[in-house]
Amino acid sequence: MGAHGMMVTKIEEINNKKVRVFIDNEFAFVLYKGELRIYGVREGSELAKENYETLMQEVLPKRAKLRALHLLKSRSYTCAQLAEKLVAGGYQTEHVKMAIDYAASFGYVDDKQYVRDFIEYNKEKKSRQRIFTDLMHKGIPKKLIEEIWDETVDGDQEELE
């Protein structure tokens, strides 16, 4: 960012409600059209530092958190899948991370539980290899899958003997 602060170089319409805002020719964030006025975001003009900070530290993190909770209402996601959805929605990495930590703090997104449920539901129908492959495609680290697999499936086998 130049010594002048932040120049809004482009405002690009996404739909009739939302726009993409570019600062110093780089994508900065997605805003609702009404917010452009509230925070004085105009193409070809400076964005006040305090408005930028309000957007980055309050408005956008809060929106990312609400979006994450909204997504998790309809189905469960792994952390990686949730991150992908939020990034696709135009949220920055730092806000995506905050949103996932927030959802995780309530237990709404929990990769360990996701893996447990997935294994439990699929272990009769799918091979170990297939279960591992499916979970890895959902962004779960192999190490975590192995750990949960050993807890759940191998535990069951010992009971049978």
Side-chain angles (χ1 to χ4, degrees):
M1 314 242 165
H4 304 301
M6 292 151 270
M7 181 59 78
V8 178
T9 44
K10 188 163 74 166
I11 295 176
E12 189 179 271
E13 189 160 315
I14 295 173
N15 55 37
N16 56 10
K17 289 200 191 95
K18 294 198 275 191
V19 296
R20 268 187 210 94
V21 177
F22 292 78
I23 292 174
D24 298 336
N25 298 314
E26 290 194 6
F27 169 69
F29 36 66
V30 171
L31 293 180
Y32 286 102
K33 286 185 176 174
E35 290 169 335
L36 295 175
R37 211 176 40 253
I38 298 168
Y39 297 103
V41 182
R42 280 186 309 278
E43 198 167 321
S45 82
E46 295 260 326
L47 174 57
K49 190 172 192 290
E50 55 273 21
N51 287 349
Y52 176 80
E53 282 171 3
T54 301
L55 287 166
M56 291 300 281
Q57 288 161 22
E58 293 164 36
V59 179
L60 296 164
K62 183 176 175 192
R63 182 168 303 152
K65 289 171 184 175
L66 292 173
R67 178 74 184 132
L69 297 186
H70 178 75
L71 287 166
L72 290 160
K73 264 219 275 286
S74 48
R75 52 164 280 208
S76 58
Y77 287 89
T78 64
C79 292
Q81 289 172 323
L82 191 56
E84 211 173 284
K85 288 290 268 192
L86 291 169
V87 167
Y91 292 101
Q92 292 91 326
T93 317
E94 57 184 296
H95 298 149
V96 168
K97 189 178 167 352
M98 287 168 151
I100 290 171
D101 290 347
Y102 181 75
S105 72
F106 295 106
Y108 294 147
V109 59
D110 178 344
D111 281 358
K112 283 188 171 180
Q113 195 52 51
Y114 190 102
V115 172
R116 272 186 213 106
D117 295 344
F118 190 90
I119 291 173
E120 207 45 57
Y121 184 75
N122 289 291
K123 67 180 182 189
E124 310 299 325
K125 303 185 282 288
K126 293 181 178 179
S127 70
R128 176 182 191 274
Q129 183 58 49
R130 184 62 205 274
I131 288 174
F132 270 64
T133 305
D134 289 354
L135 284 167
M136 281 157 67
H137 278 304
K138 294 170 188 289
I140 306 271
K142 188 173 186 195
K143 200 164 155 7
L144 181 64
I145 306 167
E146 280 168 352
E147 185 186 307
I148 308 286
W149 179 270
D150 294 345
E151 273 170 31
T152 50
V153 180
D154 295 348
D156 294 350
Q157 252 96 45
E158 282 156 27
E159 285 161 34
L160 299 173
E161 284 165 12

